Amino acid sequence: MRPPARSSSARALASLREPRMQPMKPSAMSKRKLKDSSAESAECISQVQKILRERFCHHCAAGKLFGMEQQYRHLLELLKRTTVHGESNSALIIGPRGSGKTALLNHVLKDLREMEQVRENLLEVHLNGLLQTNDKVALKEITRQLQLENVVGDKVFGSFAENLAFLLEALRKGDRTSSCPILFVLDEFDLFVHHKNQTLLYNLFDISQSAQTPVTVIGLTCRQDILELLEKRVKSRFSHRQIYLMNSFDFKQYLKIFKKQLSLPAEFSDESFAQKWNNNIQHLSEDKTVQDVLQNLFHHTKDLRSLHLLLMLASSAVTVHHPLLTAADLQEASRQHSTDSKANIVHGLSVLEICLIIAMKHLNEVYDGEPFNFQMVYNEFQKFIQRKAHSMYNFEKPVVMKAFEHLLQLELVKPLERPSARAQREYLLMKLLLDSSQIMDALQVYPNCPTDVKQWAASSLSWL
């Protein structure tokens, strides 16, 4: 026989009689330990982020130099002769963008400033061809950086040449033993070549050959043919010292750079965390997925600036709750790094604007990249409507014109010349700033793109 079922009230009484298991409360000591360990881990992550960001910033001299030891020694010796022995010199650092010209110079200057005989004994003037667009602006910047405003004062000069002569005279005061050496750094050096008569370059190279104030002029440029751009009188005063930087390492060396750039130093505050981090970086460098990501970047561009950007994006994912880098972090960073900004703009366009871009794409194919005007684009769009007999795309011409102007504002299309007041907007010559592959890639991920629009884009010839 089955025992009689107990009523709900009986069950309640029984539960009251039975002792309940109370949940264990964490002690105050264990709470304190958890809090301390989380604070320590947060401090470690903060230090990791600081170290890595300093390394990946190409203007910061905290990172390491790779493959340019010889150039480093050459430039350091050159500047030491100026700062210690009072010799005047001039040199050009030549290399493609991202090859480490600025990083090399910053490392040399950092090591120079740490020397006892150089400390507080070197004046630096940094000019950039993108900012100092003519000699007059450059001269003002030299005056400001050398703190010679009081010397110039309210003096009125008859010409630029007189002003420059006065400033150079102020620099020439004294002899080699008592004068403070001056370093002129000219970034984007090739842009200074286009200044009128190359007056600034002529005078800087001239004083670098004089027996007065020790002066060294260092130019940084991407132009391999830079000497051919100098005038004869300027070239004759240049020392012809050239330091070339080339990214000549192979993929094995590239992998080593990847490991070194992400590894934590031996003097890191938390030794156990540093060991765990470095072991993880070693495993990542051997991971096939990570190697594929790095290989893609290496084949696209070997410059370390691109690698640093990839690693910066990946390391930004590191947090207290996600303390170690993973292959997925590098894959996501690679996706962000290679994202096409113009293709992203296409994702937010209306279907009408997409149709206009496709019409322009077809015009480029038919007329072999020749410029087009709005009327040609509109006619191409009308052919598509008639071919498909779609009333949903049948917009009035002013509406289509408005959509075309929006593409102009987004800089996906640009006019070949500045429009005059009398010119008719429909007949201004334009150029599409997207290539065929960018358009097709953007359409693949465009949300709810009509099938016939995709088919029209994929057709190799225009609708006739």
Side-chain angles (χ1 to χ4, degrees):
M1 286 186 64
R2 294 173 68 186
R6 290 196 292 180
S7 66
S8 59
S9 57
R11 283 199 301 272
L13 282 167
S15 67
L16 285 170
R17 291 191 199 103
E18 292 168 3
R20 283 189 179 181
M21 292 291 291
Q22 293 293 328
M24 291 283 288
K25 289 184 179 179
S27 64
M29 191 177 289
S30 62
K31 274 185 181 177
R32 201 178 302 118
K33 279 183 182 177
L34 281 169
K35 193 174 180 182
D36 290 346
S37 64
S38 64
E40 281 175 18
S41 60
E43 181 63 28
C44 282
I45 297 300
S46 177
Q47 282 184 39
V48 168
Q49 295 279 16
K50 184 174 183 290
I51 289 167
L52 295 183
R53 281 174 185 160
E54 282 181 353
R55 280 184 194 170
F56 302 151
C57 176
H58 67 280
H59 286 294
C60 185
K64 297 175 183 176
L65 292 174
F66 299 98
M68 52 179 85
E69 292 77 14
Q70 187 181 346
Q71 292 91 332
Y72 168 82
R73 288 194 296 272
H74 185 178
L75 187 59
L76 182 63
E77 184 59 34
L78 190 73
L79 294 183
K80 269 170 73 176
R81 287 208 296 269
T82 301
T83 52
V84 179
H85 305 296
E87 289 183 19
S88 292
N89 282 303
S90 56
L92 285 175
I93 304 174
I94 303 170
R97 295 202 182 278
S99 58
K101 299 184 294 295
T102 306
L104 171 66
L105 182 64
N106 287 344
H107 270 77
V108 170
L109 289 177
K110 175 178 173 282
D111 291 348
L112 264 179
R113 293 180 196 119
E114 288 171 0
M115 295 179 184
E116 261 187 58
Q117 64 267 47
V118 176
R119 196 177 297 141
E120 296 178 3
N121 189 37
L122 176 66
L123 293 174
E124 294 176 31
V125 178
H126 293 264
L127 303 176
N128 192 306
L130 294 168
L131 300 175
Q132 283 76 49
T133 51
N134 59 52
D135 286 351
K136 196 169 185 179
V137 176
L139 192 64
K140 280 185 180 177
E141 185 60 19
I142 293 170
T143 308
R144 187 189 68 79
Q145 291 190 35
L146 291 176
Q147 299 177 358
L148 292 173
E149 293 98 335
N150 293 336
V151 177
V152 175
D154 297 325
K155 292 182 177 66
V156 178
F157 297 96
S159 66
F160 168 77
E162 284 180 25
N163 194 342
L164 182 61
F166 180 82
L167 183 62
L168 295 177
E169 191 60 37
L171 290 178
R172 286 196 179 108
K173 293 293 181 189
D175 55 23
R176 284 179 181 275
T177 54
S178 61
S179 291
C180 202
I182 302 166
L183 171 66
F184 287 91
V185 177
L186 276 63
D187 210 346
E188 304 290 346
F189 181 84
D190 47 292
L191 298 180
F192 287 100
V193 169
H194 300 299
H195 291 192
K196 189 179 178 183
N197 298 331
Q198 299 181 2
T199 311
L200 180 72
L201 295 181
Y202 171 79
N203 283 282
L204 288 179
F205 286 147
D206 191 45
I207 59 168
S208 73
Q209 287 197 335
S210 69
Q212 296 294 323
T213 306
V215 168
T216 290
V217 182
I218 303 290
L220 287 78
T221 180
C222 304
R223 295 285 297 263
Q224 300 284 334
D225 60 343
I226 187 65
L227 289 183
E228 294 170 23
L229 302 177
L230 295 176
E231 289 181 6
K232 254 186 184 178
R233 65 193 187 114
V234 178
K235 197 186 290 187
S236 66
R237 281 158 178 76
F238 174 53
S239 69
H240 288 262
R241 283 191 180 87
Q242 296 163 71
I243 301 170
Y244 285 93
L245 295 182
M246 298 293 169
N247 295 326
S248 55
F249 38 76
D250 58 16
F251 186 66
K252 277 188 179 177
Q253 292 169 309
Y254 194 73
L255 264 179
K256 284 180 183 174
I257 293 169
F258 165 78
K259 280 194 290 185
K260 282 183 181 175
Q261 289 294 73
L262 282 177
S263 297
L264 293 178
E267 61 272 14
F268 191 76
S269 57
D270 190 329
E271 196 176 327
S272 62
F273 180 84
Q275 192 173 357
K276 195 190 297 182
W277 175 276
N278 290 343
N279 288 342
N280 180 59
I281 298 304
Q282 178 63 37
H283 291 315
L284 279 178
S285 67
E286 295 164 3
D287 189 289
K288 180 71 171 64
T289 311
V290 173
Q291 287 187 4
D292 287 345
V293 167
L294 294 175
Q295 195 115 34
N296 286 339
L297 183 62
F298 181 76
H299 289 320
H300 182 256
T301 172
K302 284 167 66 175
D303 73 69
L304 294 183
R305 189 185 292 177
S306 296
L307 177 64
H308 289 164
L309 179 55
L310 177 78
L311 299 183
M312 179 81 87
L313 289 168
S315 61
S316 63
V318 174
T319 62
V320 177
H321 305 295
H322 181 69
L324 297 175
L325 273 176
T326 63
D329 293 334
L330 282 157
Q331 278 183 311
E332 176 59 23
S334 176
R335 190 191 63 77
Q336 291 176 22
H337 184 268
S338 58
T339 299
D340 191 333
S341 57
K342 284 184 179 173
N344 278 348
I345 295 173
V346 175
H347 299 162
L349 297 178
S350 66
V351 175
L352 171 59
E353 288 162 345
I354 289 283
C355 287
L356 294 182
I357 283 177
I358 295 168
M360 292 180 235
K361 170 184 174 288
H362 285 310
L363 286 171
N364 274 345
E365 289 169 0
V366 172
Y367 297 108
D368 198 22
E370 288 294 311
F372 51 82
N373 57 39
F374 169 74
Q375 191 60 47
M376 292 166 70
V377 175
Y378 182 72
N379 293 342
E380 195 71 19
F381 178 52
Q382 288 298 310
K383 287 178 193 175
F384 167 64
I385 294 170
Q386 290 161 15
R387 176 81 167 77
K388 286 293 179 182
H390 265 306
S391 58
M392 64 178 284
Y393 301 127
N394 199 8
F395 298 97
E396 292 181 10
K397 194 172 181 179
V399 176
V400 181
M401 185 65 177
K402 196 74 179 170
F404 188 79
E405 286 175 347
H406 185 228
L407 296 176
L408 266 169
Q409 288 172 355
L410 293 172
E411 296 183 359
L412 297 175
V413 185
K414 76 164 186 179
L416 289 188
E417 55 188 25
R418 187 174 292 178
S420 63
R422 293 181 181 179
Q424 288 183 287
R425 292 182 303 170
E426 291 92 333
Y427 300 104
L428 285 172
L429 289 177
M430 302 282 176
K431 186 174 181 177
L432 181 64
L433 299 179
L434 291 164
D435 61 36
S436 184
S437 62
Q438 284 177 308
I439 296 167
M440 297 311 296
D441 290 345
L443 283 177
Q444 293 305 314
V445 290
Y446 185 84
N448 305 320
C449 185
T451 308
D452 48 4
V453 172
K454 277 189 180 179
Q455 288 172 349
W456 180 37
S459 61
S460 57
L461 290 173
S462 176
W463 299 100
L464 298 172

